[in-house]
Amino acid sequence: MTTAIHRPVARGVLALMLCWATGAVAASPDEAEVTVQTASIVATTLCARLTVYGTLEPAPAEDAEPAAIAVLAAAENAWIESVEVCEGEWIGCGRRLVRLDARVAEAAVARARAELAAASAALERQRRLLEHDATSQRDLLEAEERHAIAVQTVAGAEASRSRCDLVSPIAGVAERVWARAGELAIAGQPLVRILSPERLVFAAAAPAAVANRLRAGQIALVEASGIAVTGVVQSVAHEASPGTDMVGVRIRLPRGTSLRAGQFARARVVVEEHVGCLAVPLASVYTDHGGVSEIRLVDGNRARRIQVRRGLQDTGLVEVAAEGLKPGATVVTVGAYALPDGARVRVVSR
C-alpha cells in the first residue's frame, strides 16, 4: 500500500526536475535566485596591438636634419694643439671642439695663394698682349688653364686648413672626448662623440610571421623604465634577418622625451582598430571548447542567454556582435559561468 501511494509522487517530482532542467516550466514564487554582478554594453573603440622589443637609438639623418649623433675625427695624421670641450658639456652647432696643428696646412695655403697671384698676373699680361696681337691664342689658353689650376689648389689648401678646426655639426652633449692636447691624432680615429639626446628612435624587431601586420604610420606606445611615450612606426624592413627570422622595425619618437639612448624598451603597436564597436567586460563572455561564445543579458530579473561573435580584445573589454544587441543593455559579469537560460537573478553591486 505504501509503495502504491508514493510512486506517483516520485514520478511527479522527477518530471518536475526534467522540466526545470529544460526550462519548460514556469518558475514558482519561491524559485532560488542566483546572485550576479552586471555591467553595461558600451560602444567604444578597441584596438589589436602587436608587441615588439628593442633599444632606443639616436635618430638617423633624414630630410634636412643631420643624424642625432656625430663622431669627429682627424682627416689625416696631425698633432692635437688644443681640446676645447669637456665630457658632458652641452655644445651648440658649429662650435669648435678640437684644434689640430695647422702649421703645415697654413704653409700650403700661403704657397697656393702665391701661385694663384702669379697665375693671375700672367693671365692678365696675356690678355693685354693679345689686344695688340703680341701673343698667340694658344699662350692665352695655357695661361687660363694655369690660373684655373691655381684657383683649385687654393681651394684645396684652404679646405685642408679648415679641417684642422674640428667643429660640431649638431647641437648636443659631448658624450665622449678621447682627444688630449699634445697627442698625435691618427686619421679616422674618433676624437669626440656628440649626441643630441632629444632626438631618438626605437629600433626593434618583430617575428617575420607577424611582421606583415606592421606598416609605416601606425601608432605605438613605447615603454622603458616605467616611462611611456607615444611614437609612430617610421619603417618596416622588407627582408628578415637570416639568422633570427626577425624583421627590423623603426619607430619615431617625439622630441624631448626623458628616455635615453641605449635603453631596452618594448612597444605596443596598434595594428587594427575598430571604432564604435559594441564591447563587454571579458568576464561576461563564456566560450566553450567548440568555440561558441555566449553572454547573459539581464531582462527584468531573468538572465537571457545570447550567442555572440567575438572580436577584438583590449583593456579588459571584448568586442561582441549579435542581432539586437544595443549599447546600454545590462550583461552579467560575475556569475555568468554556467548560468541557465531564464534563470532568476539578483543583481548586487561590486
Side-chain angles (χ1 to χ4, degrees), residues 314-341:
D314 184 26
T315 61
L317 298 176
V318 59
E319 179 183 4
V320 291
E323 185 177 352
L325 284 188
K326 295 180 180 179
T330 302
V331 62
V332 177
T333 55
V334 178
Y337 178 73
L339 188 64
D341 188 25

Side-chain angles (χ1 to χ4, degrees), residues 179-205:
R180 297 292 181 271
E183 294 183 353
L184 179 66
I186 305 302
Q189 177 178 300
L191 296 177
V192 182
R193 183 168 65 203
I194 306 99
L195 172 67
S196 179
E198 294 186 347
R199 296 173 52 215
L200 296 175
V201 295
F202 177 56

Side-chain angles (χ1 to χ4, degrees), residues 139-161:
D139 290 341
L140 176 61
L141 292 175
E142 289 178 352
E144 290 176 342
E145 183 177 352
R146 286 193 295 272
H147 181 267
I149 293 174
V151 170
Q152 293 177 355
T153 302
V154 169
E158 290 178 342
S160 296
R161 168 62 185 84

Side-chain angles (χ1 to χ4, degrees), residues 85 89-97 167-174 194:
V85 65
E89 183 180 356
W90 179 268
I91 54 179
C93 180
R95 175 179 158 182
R96 185 173 67 189
L97 306 181
V167 300
S168 177
I170 62 174
V173 176
I194 306 99

Side-chain angles (χ1 to χ4, degrees), residues 30-321:
D30 58 348
E31 175 189 341
E33 291 181 326
V34 179
T35 300
V36 297
Q37 294 178 7
T38 62
S40 296
I41 298 178
V42 295
T44 186
T45 297
L46 297 184
C47 300
R49 293 176 171 86
L50 180 64
T51 301
V52 294
Y53 298 89
T55 55
L56 298 167
E57 298 179 354
E62 57 180 354
D63 300 331
E65 281 194 305
I69 190 168
V71 179
L72 303 184
E76 54 190 36
N77 294 353
W79 293 100
I80 299 174
E81 184 175 303
S82 63
V83 179
E84 303 173 10
V85 65
C86 299
E87 284 191 2
E89 183 180 356
W90 179 268
I91 54 179
C93 180
R95 175 179 158 182
R96 185 173 67 189
L97 306 181
V98 177
R99 183 177 177 85
L100 303 176
D101 186 354
R103 288 174 294 180
V104 174
E106 288 173 349
V109 170
R111 287 194 303 270
R113 287 176 177 173
E115 292 174 1
L116 176 58
S120 297
L123 177 59
E124 184 61 27
R125 180 172 177 275
Q126 287 296 323
R127 286 172 176 169
R128 288 198 303 268
L129 290 174
L130 188 61
E131 291 177 356
H132 299 87
D133 294 328
T135 188
S136 65
Q137 189 69 35
R138 179 180 178 180
D139 290 341
L140 176 61
L141 292 175
E142 289 178 352
E144 290 176 342
E145 183 177 352
R146 286 193 295 272
H147 181 267
I149 293 174
V151 170
Q152 293 177 355
T153 302
V154 169
E158 290 178 342
S160 296
R161 168 62 185 84
S162 67
R163 287 194 291 269
C164 292
D165 290 333
L166 303 186
V167 300
S168 177
I170 62 174
V173 176
E175 184 188 30
R176 291 295 304 274
V177 178
W178 295 278
R180 297 292 181 271
E183 294 183 353
L184 179 66
I186 305 302
Q189 177 178 300
L191 296 177
V192 182
R193 183 168 65 203
I194 306 99
L195 172 67
S196 179
E198 294 186 347
R199 296 173 52 215
L200 296 175
V201 295
F202 177 56
V210 296
N212 61 339
R213 302 187 71 188
L214 297 170
R215 62 185 61 87
Q218 291 173 330
I219 302 299
L221 186 68
V222 179
E223 299 173 288
S225 301
I227 301 172
V229 177
T230 301
V232 178
V233 175
Q234 185 177 20
S235 62
V236 180
H238 294 288
E239 295 182 348
S241 172
T244 62
D245 200 33
M246 301 292 280
V247 174
V249 183
R250 178 175 291 164
I251 297 174
R252 183 192 295 112
L253 300 180
R255 287 178 177 268
T257 71
S258 54
L259 300 175
R260 295 177 179 270
Q263 281 187 290
F264 180 78
R266 74 169 185 175
R268 301 181 68 218
V269 184
V270 177
V271 295
E272 188 176 354
E273 184 179 56
H274 291 180
V275 179
C277 64
L278 297 181
V280 297
L282 186 59
S284 301
V285 182
Y286 169 71
T287 303
D288 63 19
H289 295 294
V292 177
S293 298
E294 297 176 340
I295 62 173
R296 267 62 173 177
L297 292 180
V298 176
D299 186 3
N301 64 345
R302 298 286 175 177
R304 183 160 54 92
R305 185 173 59 190
I306 300 293
Q307 185 172 321
V308 296
R309 298 182 300 278
R310 291 183 58 150
L312 298 183
Q313 182 176 323
D314 184 26
T315 61
L317 298 176
V318 59
E319 179 183 4
V320 291

